[in-house]
Amino acid sequence: MKDETLLYNPGSVKFCALNPSAAFVWERLEVPRTVAELAHELGAAYHLENATGVEQDLQAVLEQLAGLDFLTHADLPPTATPALTGQEPGLPYVAPRVNLMDESQVLSAFQVTSAGTSWWAV
């Protein structure tokens, strides 16, 4: 869906749209990692010279995902200070972001008609 990844929580009937950097983090949560490891990987993917602010951005998006019941607090990785230096310039870094949406907002945002949602009802 454009440049975003969409998560759905059937318990709350809410959707979350993850921007590319949040989706990058989400995909890496399948394997246990520390915040430092995630920050390093995110910094390397975006070719950041240092990790200033990246760990805080990660902690914020992880807490938000936990608050929305996409992660449990037990799933949250431990924190540590990442160190990134000497990276080449790359994609512009945008802090991971989660946008909470209900079904009507998803349909509107992605311009899907009710006829186009029949495949969602499984």
Side-chain angles (χ1 to χ4, degrees), residues 25-48:
V25 171
W26 176 257
E27 291 167 4
R28 276 145 189 82
L29 291 175
E30 186 175 354
V31 175
R33 290 174 166 82
T34 66
V35 171
E37 291 167 329
L38 286 170
H40 183 77
E41 291 177 28
L42 186 60
Y46 285 89
H47 305 286
L48 301 177

Side-chain angles (χ1 to χ4, degrees), residues 33-92:
R33 290 174 166 82
T34 66
V35 171
E37 291 167 329
L38 286 170
H40 183 77
E41 291 177 28
L42 186 60
Y46 285 89
H47 305 286
L48 301 177
E49 289 186 23
N50 63 56
T52 304
V54 174
E55 188 172 342
Q56 291 173 333
D57 294 342
L58 281 169
Q59 199 62 47
V61 79
L62 291 170
E63 288 290 336
Q64 191 175 12
L65 288 168
L68 296 169
D69 295 326
F70 285 98
L71 296 174
T72 66
H73 280 85
D75 294 327
L76 295 178
T79 60
T81 304
L84 295 173
T85 56
Q87 298 292 328
E88 296 292 322
L91 297 173

Side-chain angles (χ1 to χ4, degrees), residues 1-4 7 12 17 25 34-35 43 45 49 81-82 100 103:
M1 302 211 130
K2 298 185 183 180
D3 291 333
E4 296 184 328
L7 304 180
S12 65
V25 171
T34 66
V35 171
E49 289 186 23
T81 304
L100 182 62
E103 184 176 356

